[in-house]
Amino acid sequence: MQLEENRKDLQKLRLEKPESVLTMYLNTDPSDPDQQGGEWKIQLKNSLSSFENYLKQSDEKEELKKFKKVREKVENFMKENQKNLKKSVIIFASSDESIWFAEILQMRVETIVYWQETPVLEQLDKLYEAFPKVGIVLVQQNQVKTIEAELGAILETKHYELDIDTEDWRQFAGPPSAEAGIGRSGKKVQTDQFDKRFEANQKRWYKSLAPSLDKLAKDHQWQKIYLAGEKGEADDLASYMQKEIDSISHQNILEHDEHEVIEKVIG
C-alpha cells in the first residue's frame, strides 16, 4: 500500500461525464452488532443497484456501460477476498481505469458509496490522520524486529539478530532463531554465559544497531515510531536512536502476532 502517493492521485482526480469514480467505504466488522449476519453484502448490493437503476432511468447509456464495468470489478474483489475481510474495505475505482485503490483494513468505517466525478476522501483522510505510516521496533535481548504499518495494515517486517561470533547484527527474512546466543559457527552458547555476556555488552551492541533503525525510519518515512521491550533493553535502544520515539512500551512482545502487536502498542 503506497497510501500517500494514492492520496495525492485521488486528490487531483477530476473526471468529466460519462466518466466517474466509485468511492466505497464498507463496514465489514464482524464484531459490529449491525454486521452479525454479513449485512454488508446487502448494503453493497443495494447501493450499487441504486446507481445502476438511476443511470438506466436517466438513459445515460455510455455512463451505465462504464458503471457496470466498475461494479463487476468491485464485486469480483469482494468475492475473491470474502474470507480475508477484517473491519472495513475502502475502494476507489474510476471508470477510465486510471485509479484502482482497494484495501482491507483493521479500522471500522461508516458504510457509504458514491458515484460521481470526484472521489470522496473525508473518511480516508480522517483514518490517515489517526493511523499514519508507523514503525514499531520490538527488542528482545539479541533480537530486534521492526513492523511497518499504515492504516493498521502491515506493509513490511524485518528481523535483526546479533551474531555472537562477529558481533554484527544480521538482517534476515522469516522468524528469528529460537535459540538465543547462536553464533556464525552454529554453536550454542550456554544461556547463563550468554546472558552475562549480553548484559555486559548490551549498550554497545544496541548502539551499533541504532543507525540502521534510524536509516530505515528515514528511508521509509515513518511518521511515528513505537518501541517495545523489557525496560532496560527498550530504554537503552531508544536512547541511541536519533529519531524521536513517540512511545516506549515496557512489554516483551517480539514473538507475538504482528496484528496483536499493533493493537497492544498503538491501541
Side-chain angles (χ1 to χ4, degrees):
M1 182 187 345
Q2 298 297 324
L3 178 58
E4 190 56 33
E5 293 180 13
N6 285 324
R7 287 177 75 211
K8 290 178 180 178
D9 290 340
L10 288 168
Q11 289 167 353
K12 294 185 293 185
L13 186 63
R14 298 289 186 276
L15 300 176
E16 294 183 3
K17 293 294 185 181
E19 306 290 357
S20 285
V21 57
L22 181 83
T23 299
M24 185 189 86
Y25 298 96
L26 189 64
N27 176 12
T28 58
D29 186 357
S31 66
D32 186 342
D34 294 332
Q35 291 293 332
Q36 294 299 305
E39 283 78 2
W40 64 264
K41 297 178 184 178
I42 298 173
Q43 293 171 327
L44 177 60
K45 181 179 179 179
N46 290 344
S47 296
L48 296 177
S49 294
S50 67
F51 288 124
E52 186 167 326
N53 291 335
Y54 172 79
L55 293 173
K56 287 179 180 178
Q57 294 171 7
S58 302
D59 200 29
E60 301 288 349
K61 295 181 180 179
E62 185 63 24
E63 187 176 354
L64 175 61
K65 180 180 177 181
K66 292 177 179 294
F67 175 80
K68 285 183 176 180
K69 289 182 64 176
V70 171
R71 176 175 185 170
E72 181 181 11
K73 192 172 182 179
V74 169
E75 290 178 331
N76 286 340
F77 176 86
M78 296 303 299
K79 183 178 180 179
E80 292 169 4
N81 291 279
Q82 186 171 338
K83 294 182 180 180
N84 303 318
L85 297 180
K86 297 168 185 174
K87 292 187 177 181
S88 66
V89 178
I90 296 179
I91 293 180
F92 296 93
S94 62
S95 59
D96 66 354
E97 300 185 342
S98 64
I99 292 288
W100 170 255
F101 173 92
E103 291 294 340
I104 298 169
L105 303 178
Q106 289 276 13
M107 291 79 66
R108 188 186 297 182
V109 300
E110 177 186 354
T111 295
I112 193 162
V113 184
Y114 302 88
W115 174 257
Q116 57 185 52
E117 292 89 341
T118 57
V120 181
L121 302 176
E122 282 81 359
Q123 285 201 69
L124 179 64
D125 290 341
K126 288 180 180 178
L127 284 174
Y128 188 70
E129 289 174 9
F131 304 95
K133 181 183 282 190
V134 302
I136 300 173
V137 180
L138 308 175
V139 56
Q140 181 179 312
Q141 209 168 39
N142 68 316
Q143 298 176 358
V144 171
K145 177 180 180 179
T146 63
I147 303 172
E148 183 175 303
E150 191 173 42
L151 288 186
I154 296 168
L155 304 182
E156 183 178 57
T157 61
K158 292 182 182 293
H159 299 269
Y160 302 83
E161 187 168 11
L162 183 69
D163 187 307
I164 300 303
D165 292 336
T166 64
E167 296 193 342
D168 290 329
W169 289 92
R170 299 177 300 163
Q171 181 185 328
F172 59 95
S177 168
E179 300 287 351
I182 293 291
R184 185 174 55 186
S185 65
K187 184 177 180 180
K188 187 177 185 301
V189 180
Q190 293 297 321
T191 302
D192 57 347
Q193 180 184 345
F194 171 78
D195 288 344
K196 291 178 181 178
R197 183 179 177 188
F198 194 87
E199 184 178 352
N201 294 278
Q202 176 176 304
K203 294 183 183 296
R204 178 169 62 87
W205 285 340
Y206 285 162
K207 186 176 182 178
S208 70
L209 178 63
S212 296
L213 299 176
D214 283 326
K215 186 176 187 303
L216 180 63
K218 179 181 179 181
D219 291 348
H220 288 225
Q221 299 179 336
W222 292 352
Q223 296 190 26
K224 290 188 176 182
I225 301 176
Y226 300 86
L227 200 152
E230 296 290 346
K231 180 173 173 53
E233 297 168 4
D235 291 348
D236 278 352
L237 182 56
S239 70
Y240 292 119
M241 290 184 64
Q242 297 299 311
K243 287 287 187 179
E244 180 181 354
I245 307 299
D246 292 88
S247 175
I248 299 177
S249 177
H250 296 136
Q251 50 183 329
N252 188 359
I253 52 177
L254 183 142
E255 296 180 358
H256 289 210
D257 174 78
E258 283 88 353
H259 290 104
E260 182 183 346
V261 169
I262 292 174
E263 292 184 4
K264 284 180 176 290
V265 174
I266 302 177

